Amino acid sequence: MSQQPHDLLKAIVQATQQQDYPDLKVDDYFEIFAAQQVLKKCNFDQDFNEIESGIVGGSDDGGVDGFYLFVNRRLIREDTDLSIFKGQQLNIEIIVLQAKNKNSFEESVPQKMTSFMEECLRLGASEEQAKTLYSQGLRDAVERFHKLYEDSLTMKPTLSISYFHVAHSNDVHQKVKTRGQILVDKTKQHFPTVKCNYIPVTGSDLVTLFHQQPRSEEHT
């Protein structure tokens, strides 16, 4: 990423932080900013409260800053009544996000996502191990997914899992891409019918997404 676009992104982040979250540390705000742009990229239009609800970064986050669960294009939160989906054909979408407020893509990010998938996200993962390794908030979010997915298996739900790796840089090293492909391959081993992607979101992507108007979804 040339210096000019990098400086532009830094200016955008600084300006929007001062406007919307002046009391947050810049790294913490960048998680919210990145989540907002990623959700926009996925054609979801969520308000700040909804975006914040999926931010799980902090101690014991296992390399996951954001975890968003959508069912039939509806965001599932801790207070969502899951019984409303009983008997429905479900389209389940999971967005996993790691945002690095730095000018490089790190190989450790897809590696940590792979560990999270195997130790927490997959069905049958050890609850005791997950309890030791991952925060309560992240485990609660994953548990909501497990309950929905397992309860709807007879209805043959569709499942999509997208891992987003966000940074300022435009340069994604081949090692990082290879780690991302390993993450996708291992996810498919545990969820054979899943549609799965590892998606680096570059600094230029963030600038473009920031200037893009969100496409509001109509929910029935």
Side-chain angles (χ1 to χ4, degrees):
M1 188 175 190
S2 66
Q3 191 61 35
Q4 186 174 0
H6 178 56
D7 289 343
L8 176 57
L9 177 59
K10 288 174 65 177
I12 290 171
V13 171
Q14 182 178 6
T16 53
Q17 177 199 9
Q18 289 303 310
Q19 174 181 287
D20 300 320
Y21 292 88
D23 297 328
L24 273 187
K25 294 180 180 178
V26 64
D27 286 348
D28 294 334
Y29 170 71
F30 188 71
E31 295 176 2
I32 296 174
F33 177 84
Q36 183 183 35
Q37 309 318 315
V38 164
L39 291 171
K40 192 187 298 184
K41 181 179 179 68
C42 298
N43 294 319
F44 290 109
D45 183 14
Q46 312 303 139
D47 62 31
F48 281 126
N49 185 263
E50 291 170 324
I51 293 170
E52 288 177 32
S53 74
I55 298 297
V56 292
S59 60
D60 297 329
D61 64 19
V64 177
D65 291 327
F67 185 95
Y68 297 89
L69 171 63
F70 293 88
V71 175
N72 297 344
R73 304 296 290 177
R74 174 171 178 167
L75 177 65
I76 304 303
R77 301 173 60 175
E78 61 181 6
D79 58 351
T80 303
D81 180 7
L82 301 184
S83 67
I84 63 176
F85 299 106
K86 187 174 182 180
Q88 292 185 27
Q89 174 75 36
L90 302 188
N91 176 23
I92 300 173
E93 299 172 76
I94 294 174
I95 294 174
V96 181
L97 166 74
Q98 172 65 276
K100 292 290 188 181
N101 188 32
K102 56 179 63 176
N103 196 26
S104 63
F105 281 90
E106 299 176 344
E107 187 181 349
S108 62
V109 170
Q111 285 180 298
K112 288 180 178 179
M113 286 182 171
T114 301
S115 295
F116 161 70
M117 185 278 300
E118 294 187 315
E119 298 162 354
C120 188
L121 185 60
R122 69 175 178 86
L123 300 181
S126 168
E127 292 185 12
E128 284 303 312
Q129 287 184 359
K131 187 176 181 179
T132 302
L133 297 170
Y134 301 101
S135 68
Q136 183 73 54
L138 182 55
R139 287 185 285 111
D140 286 346
V142 170
E143 179 58 31
R144 285 191 286 275
F145 157 62
H146 285 167
K147 177 172 177 54
L148 273 166
Y149 190 60
E150 291 176 332
D151 287 352
S152 65
L153 282 174
T154 58
M155 301 289 289
K156 302 179 178 65
T158 63
L159 175 62
S160 169
I161 302 176
S162 298
Y163 301 97
F164 286 91
H165 181 180
V166 184
H168 286 247
S169 176
N170 278 351
D171 181 22
V172 185
H173 195 279
Q174 185 57 49
K175 281 187 176 181
V176 177
K177 294 178 182 178
T178 298
R179 291 291 185 186
Q181 187 57 52
I182 291 171
L183 166 62
V184 170
D185 292 342
K186 287 187 175 293
T187 301
K188 289 181 177 180
Q189 289 177 12
H190 294 290
F191 300 99
T193 62
V194 71
K195 179 181 179 182
C196 184
N197 294 283
Y198 164 77
I199 305 169
V201 180
T202 68
S204 290
D205 291 334
L206 289 174
V207 171
T208 300
L209 287 164
F210 172 76
H211 286 92
Q212 175 182 309
Q213 292 297 320
R215 188 180 75 182
S216 297
E217 291 292 327
E218 295 183 1
H219 301 280
T220 57

